[in-house]
C-alpha cells in the first residue's frame, strides 16, 4: 500500500526523483518484510529463551487430608544430666575450686561471712585446674589482667573475644572476668575470652573442665550415674490407656545423660492415634528431683523434650523445648510433611549419599547431622581428638588433658572458624529434600492446684514410696501432655512447573502468535531451507562436475566450446533489469534484448473466417444497384 501511494503521488506531481523511488518500491517492500520477519524472529527467540531459562522452576502445592496419624517419637531428658550425689567423687576438686573462685570474686561463702580471700591462700591451694586454664580479672580493657591463681598482673597478648555479646559492661570493670587459652606448643599464641557476666564466665569455665572429666569416664559408668526410667517417670497414659517404662527406649546423650524416647519404633511398631485432643495423646508426670541437681552445671529446673520422627536423631541441645516444674505443660501438634525437588530444581539431597561427610549418628540424613559430623571430623583432623558433645568417629577418642593438653585452645579456635563459615561445612552440607515437621503450640498452667496439692502429692508419694522415703514436693514434679490438636495432615510438595509437552506447547504458541506458524509450516521451512538448499547445492556441484568432465573430454578431442551454446535464462536474461518481479503489464513494456531476433506472432488462419454465400446467382436488385 505504501508503494502504491508513492507511485500515485509521483505520477500526479511529476516530482524529481520519483522515478527512482517508484522503481525501488520492490526493494522497500522487501526491506519492510525483512524488518518484520526479523522482529518476529527476535520476539520468538526472546520468548523461547525465557521459557528455557524458567524451565527448571517448580510450583508448590498444599494438600490437606483428614486421616489417622502416626504418633511421633517424644524424647524426654532431665535438664540435670547426672545425679549430683553420684558425681561428687568425680567433681569434688572442680567444685572446690569453683567455690574458691566465687569466694574470691564475690565474697561468696557457704556458711561463712563474705570475706575475700588473699592471694596467699590461693597459692596454698593451687591445683591443676587453675594451672591449665587460669581465671583472669580484666582491668579497664587495658589488656592488663590479674591471674587469680598466682595474683600476678600480666599483659594480655593475642586476641580478645567477648563471648556474651558486643554490649560493653557499663559497671565496674573489675566485674569483667574470663579465661585465657594458649597453644601448648607456642605459649605466645593465646586468646582471652571475656564475659559481661561473672555467672556466664564461671559456668563456661566449669563446663570446659566438666567435659574433660566426663570424657575419661566409661559409658557404662555414666549410664549408672544418670537417671533411670523408674527415677524419671511417675505416671504414663497414651490414648486413654496406661503405659509404663516398657514403652520408652533409653539412649545416652553426652550433655543430658540418660534420655528416654516414647514410641521410638525400635521394636518395629509405631503407635498412631485416630482422635485429636489432650485426652488422646501422651500424658506423663515426671520426677525432677531438684535437690540432686549440680549447682554449677545447670541453673534451671525442669525437663527438656523434643518431638521428632522415629528415624531422626533428637538434638535436645539445639531445638529441645523446656518444661518447668510445678506446672502442667500442654503441647499441641500440627503435622506437616514436605517434599522438595532435587537437582536441578533445588540444591537439596535425597539421602545424603552425595554429601562427602560421614554420618556419625546412624540416623536418617539431616542438615544438623551433617554440620555436627563435619565439625567433629575437622576436630579430629586438627586437634587429634573428638569433642565430647558429639559422637565418636571410628578410631578416635574424646579429648582430655592427659592425652591432649592443647585440645581446649584448638577447640575454641576451630569453633570460631565454624561459626564464621570458614571450615566449609556450611558449603558442603545441604538440606534434605524430604522431611517431617511437627509445629508445636505450648501452653502452661499451674499444677497441682492449691486445693488438690495435698492429696495429689500424698498419692504420688505413696506410688513412689517403695523407692523414695520422703514426701514429694510440687517443685520436684512436672506434668507433660503431648497431643494432636487435629488430625489434618498437611502435605507440601514441589512439582515441575514445566514439562517437555508444556515447553513444546508454549513454543508452538509463540510461533503461532508471531508468525502464524504450525507444525506444517515448520516442516515446510525445514524442507525449503535444508532439503531444497541441499538439493540445489548438490545440483550445482553436479553441474560443475559435469561441465568439468565435458571440458576435459573436449580438451582431449581438440574441440573448443561454441559461444552459441551459452543459454540465457532466469536472472541472467538482460531484459530483467527492473528490481521488481515483472507483471503482465510491465512485461509488455520490457525492451527487447540486443542481438536477439524479434519475436513474431504467426498470423491467424483467416480462411476459417471467410463467409460462403448461400446463393449461386446474384440478386437482381443488387445488380441494379451496382449498375447504378
Amino acid at each position: 500500500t505504501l508503494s502504491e501511494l508513492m507511485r500515485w503521488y509521483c505520477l500526479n506531481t511529476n516530482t524529481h526523483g520519483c522515478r527512482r523511488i517508484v522503481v525501488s518500491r520492490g526493494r522497500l517492500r522487501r526491506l519492510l518484510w525483512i524488518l518484520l520477519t526479523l522482529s518476529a524472529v527476535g520476539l520468538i527467540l526472546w520468548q523461547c529463551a525465557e521459557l528455557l531459562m524458567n524451565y527448571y522452576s517448580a510450583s508448590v502445592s498444599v494438600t490437606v487430608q483428614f486421616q489417622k496419624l502416626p504418633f511421633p517419637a517424644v524424647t524426654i531428658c532431665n535438664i540435670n544430666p547426672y545425679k549430683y550425689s553420684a558425681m561428687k567423687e568425680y567433681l569434688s576438686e572442680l567444685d572446690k575450686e569453683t567455690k574458691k573462685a566465687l569466694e574470691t570474686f564475690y565474697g561468696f561463702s557457704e556458711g561463712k561471712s563474705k570475706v575475700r580471700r588473699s592471694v596467699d591462700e590461693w597459692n596454698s591451694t593451687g591445683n591443676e585446674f587453675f594451672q591449665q586454664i587460669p581465671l583472669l580479672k580484666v582491668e579497664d580493657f587495658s589488656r592488663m589482667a590479674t591471674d587469680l591463681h598466682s595474683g600476678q598482673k600480666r599483659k594480655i597478648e593475642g586476641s580478645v573475644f567477648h563471648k556474651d555479646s558486643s554490649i560493653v559492661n557499663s559497671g565496674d570493670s573489675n566485674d569483667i572476668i574470663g579465661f585465657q587459652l594458649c597453644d601448648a606448643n607456642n605459649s605466645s599464641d593465646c586468646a582471652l575470652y571475656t564475659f559481661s557476666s561473672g555467672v556466664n564466665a564461671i559456668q563456661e569455665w566449669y563446663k570446659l573442665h566438666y567435659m574433660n572429666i566426663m570424657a575419661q569416664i566409661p559409658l557404662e559408668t555414666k549410664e549408672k550415674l544418670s537417671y533411670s526410667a523408674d527415677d524419671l517417670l511417675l505416671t504414663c497414659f497414651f490414648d486413654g490407656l496406661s503405659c509404663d517404662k516398657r514403652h520408652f527406649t533409653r539412649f545416652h546423650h553426652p550433655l543430658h545423660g540418660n534420655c528416654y524416647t516414647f514410641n521410638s519404633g525400635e521394636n518395629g511398631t509405631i503407635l498412631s492415634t485416630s482422635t485429636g485432643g489432650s485426652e488422646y495423646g501422651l500424658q506423663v508426670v515426671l520426677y525432677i528431683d531438684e535437690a540432686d541437681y549440680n549447682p554449677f552445671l545447670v541453673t534451671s529446673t525442669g525437663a527438656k523434650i523434643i518431638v521428632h520422627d522415629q528415624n531422626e536423631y533428637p538434638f535436645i541441645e539445639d531445638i529441645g523445648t523446656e518444661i518447668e516444674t510445678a506446672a502442667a505443660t500442654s503441647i499441641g501438634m500440627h503435622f506437616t510433611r514436605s517434599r522438595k525437588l532435587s537437582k536441578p530444581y533445588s540444591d537439596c539431597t535425597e539421602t545424603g549419599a552425595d554429601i562427602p561427610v560421614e554420618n556419625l549418628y546412624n540416623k536418617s540424613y539431616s542438615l544438623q547431622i551433617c554440620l555436627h559430623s563435619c565439625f567433629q571430623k575437622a576436630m579430629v583432623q586438627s586437634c587429634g581428638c573428638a569433642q565430647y558433645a558429639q559422637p565418636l568417629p571410628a578410631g578416635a577418642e574424646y579429648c582430655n588433658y592427659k592425652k591432649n593438653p592443647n585440645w581446649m585452645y584448638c577447640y575454641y579456635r576451630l569453633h570460631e572458624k565454624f561459626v564464621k563459615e570458614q571450615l566449609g561445612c556450611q558449603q558442603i552440607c545441604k538440606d534434605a529434600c524430604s522431611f517431617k515437621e511437627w509445629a508445636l503450640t505450648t501452653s502452661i498452667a499451674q499444677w497441682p492446684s492449691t486445693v488438690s496439692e495435698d492429696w495429689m502429692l500424698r498419692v504420688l508419694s505413696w506410688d513412689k514410696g517403695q523407692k523414695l522415703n520422703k514426701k514429694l514436693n510440687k517443685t520436684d514434679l512436672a506434668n507433660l501432655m503431648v497431643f494432636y490438636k487435629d488430625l489434618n495432615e498437611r502435605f507440601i510438595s514441589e512439582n515441575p512447573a514445566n514439562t517437555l509437552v508444556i515447553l513444546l506447547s508454549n513454543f508452538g504458541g509463540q510461533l503461532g502468535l508471531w508468525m502464524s506458524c504450525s507444525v506444517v509450516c515448520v516442516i515446510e521451512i525445514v524442507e525449503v531451507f535444508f532439503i531444497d538448499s541441499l538439493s540445489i547445492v548438490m545440483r550445482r556441484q553436479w553441474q560443475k562436475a559435469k561441465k568439468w568432465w565435458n571440458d576435459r573430454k573436449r580438451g582431449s578431442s581438440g574441440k573448443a566450446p561454441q559461444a552459441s551454446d551459452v543459454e540465457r535464462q532466469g536472472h541472467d536474461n538482460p531484459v530483467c533489469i527492473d528490481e521488481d518481479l515483472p507483471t503482465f503489464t510491465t512485461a509488455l513494456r520490457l525492451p527487447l534484448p540486443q542481438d536477439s531476433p524479434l519475436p513474431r506472432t504467426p498470423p491467424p488462419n483467416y480462411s476459417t473466417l471467410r463467409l460462403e454465400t448461400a446463393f449461386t446467382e446474384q440478386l437482381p436488385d443488387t445488380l441494379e444497384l451496382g449498375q447504378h
Side-chain angles (χ1 to χ4, degrees):
T1 303
L2 181 60
S3 61
E4 293 297 333
L5 289 174
M6 293 176 62
R7 181 182 179 86
W8 175 84
Y9 174 78
C10 292
L11 291 176
N12 286 274
T13 59
N14 196 19
T15 307
H16 179 71
C18 280
R19 178 176 180 83
R20 181 176 180 85
I21 296 176
V22 173
V23 171
S24 303
R25 66 184 182 278
R27 180 182 300 174
L28 179 63
R29 187 186 301 116
R30 284 194 296 272
L31 181 60
L32 291 176
W33 275 111
I34 290 173
L35 292 176
L36 290 175
T37 304
L38 291 177
S39 301
V41 171
L43 287 172
I44 293 174
L45 292 177
W46 177 69
Q47 293 289 339
C48 292
E50 186 176 2
L51 290 174
L52 291 175
M53 291 176 62
N54 297 329
Y55 180 77
Y56 292 112
S57 59
S59 60
V60 179
S61 63
V62 180
T63 305
V64 180
Q65 53 184 352
F66 182 87
Q67 62 180 6
K68 185 177 182 180
L69 295 179
F71 202 79
V74 180
T75 298
I76 305 173
C77 304
N78 197 321
I79 290 181
N80 184 57
Y82 302 99
K83 298 177 182 179
Y84 187 56
S85 58
M87 288 292 299
K88 278 188 175 181
E89 59 177 304
Y90 299 98
L91 304 176
S92 59
E93 292 297 326
L94 176 59
D95 292 345
K96 185 186 299 183
E97 295 302 327
T98 304
K99 292 176 183 178
K100 291 177 182 178
L102 291 173
E103 186 177 352
T104 301
F105 278 125
Y106 305 105
F108 172 80
S109 175
E110 293 183 350
K112 298 180 181 180
S113 60
K114 297 182 179 180
V115 179
R116 294 181 181 266
R117 301 178 66 189
S118 63
V119 176
D120 296 335
E121 295 181 23
W122 278 108
N123 292 334
S124 62
T125 59
N127 53 51
E128 60 175 341
F129 293 99
F130 279 90
Q131 294 175 3
Q132 292 289 342
I133 307 177
L135 280 171
L136 303 176
K137 181 172 60 176
V138 183
E139 300 177 359
D140 298 329
F141 297 101
S142 60
R143 289 189 173 269
M144 295 298 297
T146 302
D147 189 337
L148 295 180
H149 174 64
S150 62
Q152 297 179 355
K153 290 187 178 182
R154 59 180 178 178
K155 188 175 182 181
I156 301 300
E157 301 292 341
S159 304
V160 178
F161 300 95
H162 301 282
K163 297 292 290 183
D164 287 345
S165 66
S166 58
I167 301 176
V168 179
N169 190 1
S170 59
D172 187 3
S173 61
N174 292 333
D175 292 336
I176 299 176
I177 62 173
F179 51 84
Q180 188 177 28
L181 299 177
C182 298
D183 189 354
N185 301 322
N186 184 8
S187 58
S188 62
D189 188 4
C190 299
L192 175 66
Y193 295 89
T194 61
F195 300 82
S196 59
S197 171
V199 173
N200 295 336
I202 293 293
Q203 272 198 307
E204 187 73 12
W205 177 83
Y206 187 93
K207 287 180 181 179
L208 286 177
H209 294 290
Y210 171 82
M211 288 192 297
N212 178 75
I213 294 172
M214 298 306 298
Q216 303 176 54
I217 302 177
L219 177 61
E220 295 78 9
T221 305
K222 288 187 288 188
E223 290 178 348
K224 295 178 182 179
L225 297 174
S226 188
Y227 298 90
S228 64
D230 292 328
D231 295 332
L232 184 64
L233 303 172
L234 285 180
T235 64
C236 175
F237 285 92
F238 175 72
D239 209 6
L241 301 177
S242 178
C243 54
D244 53 29
K245 65 179 182 179
R246 293 173 297 179
H247 296 86
F248 290 82
T249 303
R250 185 186 68 183
F251 88 97
H252 188 81
H253 192 279
L255 298 180
H256 294 278
N258 290 341
C259 297
Y260 297 90
T261 303
F262 175 79
N263 193 29
S264 64
E266 283 192 354
N267 56 359
T269 303
I270 297 178
L271 301 176
S272 59
T273 180
S274 57
T275 308
S278 59
E279 295 182 1
Y280 299 95
L282 175 65
Q283 303 180 33
V284 291
V285 176
L286 305 175
Y287 179 60
I288 302 302
D289 194 12
E290 181 182 5
D292 210 8
Y293 266 41
N294 188 325
F296 306 113
L297 184 64
V298 293
T299 56
S300 58
T301 305
K304 294 189 76 171
I305 75 158
I306 181 174
V307 177
H308 59 96
D309 186 63
Q310 282 75 14
N311 294 324
E312 294 180 358
Y313 183 85
F315 287 96
I316 301 290
E317 69 278 15
D318 294 338
I319 55 177
T321 301
E322 294 186 352
I323 62 174
E324 60 180 298
T325 57
T329 304
S330 298
I331 300 179
M333 302 183 297
H334 291 288
F335 179 49
T336 302
R337 288 191 300 117
S338 300
R339 168 74 181 177
K340 296 194 299 183
L341 295 174
S342 57
K343 287 185 176 181
Y345 294 93
S346 64
D347 192 20
C348 67
T349 178
E350 293 286 350
T351 61
D354 55 334
I355 305 297
V357 176
E358 180 186 1
N359 189 340
L360 302 178
Y361 290 83
N362 295 323
K363 291 290 185 177
S364 60
Y365 176 86
S366 67
L367 179 61
Q368 286 177 302
I369 284 180
C370 181
L371 291 175
H372 286 288
S373 300
C374 180
F375 178 80
Q376 187 72 304
K377 180 181 177 181
M379 181 78 181
V380 174
Q381 292 177 351
S382 302
C383 306
C385 57
Q387 203 263 345
Y388 174 71
Q390 297 164 3
L392 271 176
E397 58 182 8
Y398 287 125
C399 299
N400 62 80
Y401 289 148
K402 296 180 179 179
K403 297 182 179 180
N404 312 98
N406 197 38
W407 79 268
M408 285 190 181
Y409 176 81
C410 181
Y411 165 72
Y412 268 83
R413 285 294 193 184
L414 198 66
H415 189 266
E416 178 188 352
K417 293 182 180 179
F418 177 78
V419 173
K420 294 181 179 179
E421 300 184 4
Q422 297 176 356
L423 287 182
C425 294
Q426 288 81 356
Q427 291 75 24
I428 295 175
C429 296
K430 304 176 183 178
D431 287 323
C433 294
S434 301
F435 55 91
K436 299 177 182 179
E437 182 182 9
W438 284 268
L440 307 181
T441 303
T442 304
S443 60
I444 300 175
Q446 181 182 353
W447 180 90
S449 63
T450 305
V451 295
S452 61
E453 176 181 346
D454 184 54
W455 74 266
M456 286 191 66
L457 293 179
R458 286 180 179 271
V459 172
L460 290 174
S461 299
W462 182 85
D463 291 339
K464 202 173 180 58
Q466 298 177 356
K467 299 181 181 180
L468 189 66
N469 297 322
K470 68 175 183 178
K471 182 182 177 181
L472 296 177
N473 193 324
K474 67 177 183 180
T475 57
D476 293 330
L477 303 177
N479 190 2
L480 172 66
M481 291 174 286
V482 182
F483 57 91
Y484 278 114
K485 300 185 70 173
D486 54 52
L487 297 182
N488 293 328
E489 178 186 356
R490 295 162 181 83
F491 179 58
I492 302 176
S493 61
E494 288 185 348
N495 303 305
N498 297 298
T499 61
L500 183 60
V501 176
I502 296 177
L503 180 64
L504 293 177
S505 299
N506 293 335
F507 182 70
Q510 296 297 328
L511 287 177
L513 175 64
W514 299 105
M515 297 189 68
S516 300
C517 286
S518 62
V519 176
V520 177
C521 294
V522 173
I523 295 175
E524 290 180 352
I525 292 173
V526 172
E527 180 184 3
V528 170
F529 284 97
F530 292 97
I531 300 178
D532 290 353
S533 299
L534 181 61
S535 61
I536 292 173
V537 171
M538 294 299 295
R539 183 175 179 181
R540 292 182 66 88
Q541 294 296 328
W542 168 253
Q543 290 177 350
K544 290 181 179 180
K546 186 177 179 181
K547 181 179 180 182
W548 174 81
W549 179 255
N550 292 333
D551 292 343
R552 183 178 179 183
K553 289 177 63 177
R554 291 191 186 97
S556 61
S557 61
K559 295 182 179 180
Q562 298 180 2
S564 59
D565 295 337
V566 179
E567 182 181 2
R568 296 175 178 176
Q569 55 183 353
H571 62 275
D572 295 329
N573 195 328
V575 298
C576 298
I577 58 175
D578 194 2
E579 295 180 358
D580 251 344
L581 295 176
T583 62
F584 179 78
T585 304
T586 57
L588 296 178
R589 300 175 183 174
L590 291 176
L592 295 177
Q594 298 178 0
D595 302 332
S596 297
L598 186 65
R600 299 294 183 179
T601 302
N605 188 4
Y606 290 104
S607 60
T608 58
L609 302 178
R610 291 180 180 178
L611 298 177
E612 294 182 358
T613 179
F615 303 98
T616 56
E617 295 181 358
Q618 190 173 4
L619 295 178
D621 55 349
T622 57
L623 293 174
E624 292 178 359
L625 182 59
Q627 293 175 359
H628 180 74

